[in-house]
Amino acid sequence: MSIHQLSVVYQTDQDRLLLRVRTRDDRLFELWLTRRLMARLWLPMQNTANAASLGMASRGATILPEARDMVTQSMRDQAKQAGDFASPFDDSAAERPLGEQPLLVAAVDLRQGASGQVTVVWRDAQQRDLSLTLTPDLLHNLLSLVEQALVQAEWGVVAPPAAQAPVPSEPSPAPRLLN
């Protein structure tokens, strides 16, 4: 399956995230992601994306532990710049293989392949599934979309943007010495 577009939006009336995947051959897959699922999945997805990025960046090289966060952030930024976040999602697909109603995801499998790609298998309670094989760049862009939706949902899974960056406050007093 060749992915053409991804979309993640918070649906207030359902109190869920709606993940939509449109393929180049005009198939549309829709998945419901619940708060409970995302609370458990958010950190493993980030860790998997970071590991995949580090694996791609370190082919033939060793990355020092203290540089890993910087390299990962650089890979995230590159993926975001390469992505098209401005084009609206086209949901006029001819075919919906999972049916007219979105699949309610009950379980997710994350597997990192040797080639750096990550396979994400979304499964419902009836064992229907959707398997996506994502490059590290595509996974980082998916995480960016999910993060935006999570902030909008106000579920407390991620911190709002204002809380992520420390705001300088009044200067702290000089340290006291106790003898």
Side-chain angles (χ1 to χ4, degrees), residues 10-86:
Y10 173 64
Q11 296 286 317
T12 55
D13 57 329
Q14 295 284 334
D15 195 28
R16 299 177 183 162
L17 302 184
L18 178 62
L19 168 61
R20 298 181 297 173
V21 179
R22 182 179 170 89
T23 64
R24 295 201 185 277
D25 59 351
D26 287 333
R27 292 186 294 160
L28 180 64
F29 300 90
E30 295 181 313
L31 309 168
W32 284 126
L33 308 176
T34 63
R35 179 180 185 170
R36 181 170 191 230
L37 177 79
M38 292 312 302
R40 294 174 181 215
L41 183 61
W42 181 243
L43 189 57
M45 279 187 78
Q46 287 183 310
N47 292 340
T48 302
N50 293 345
S53 291
L54 286 173
M56 295 296 290
S58 67
R59 288 188 179 186
T62 302
I63 297 176
L64 297 172
E66 52 271 8
R68 288 179 189 214
D69 289 341
M70 186 172 52
V71 171
T72 301
Q73 185 61 45
S74 172
M75 297 290 283
R76 240 184 261 135
D77 293 343
Q78 286 176 3
K80 203 169 195 179
Q81 288 175 357
D84 176 9
F85 291 92

Side-chain angles (χ1 to χ4, degrees), residues 85-133:
F85 291 92
S87 298
F89 187 83
D90 180 12
D91 60 359
S92 61
E95 182 183 357
R96 293 177 184 245
L98 296 176
E100 290 300 314
Q101 295 301 316
L103 185 88
L104 179 58
V105 178
V108 179
D109 295 327
L110 294 170
R111 291 184 291 252
Q112 185 176 348
S115 64
Q117 293 187 334
V118 174
T119 301
V120 184
V121 181
W122 311 88
R123 187 173 301 107
D124 73 355
Q126 290 78 33
Q127 300 304 308
R128 294 183 307 157
D129 64 18
L130 173 63
S131 179
L132 300 176
T133 301

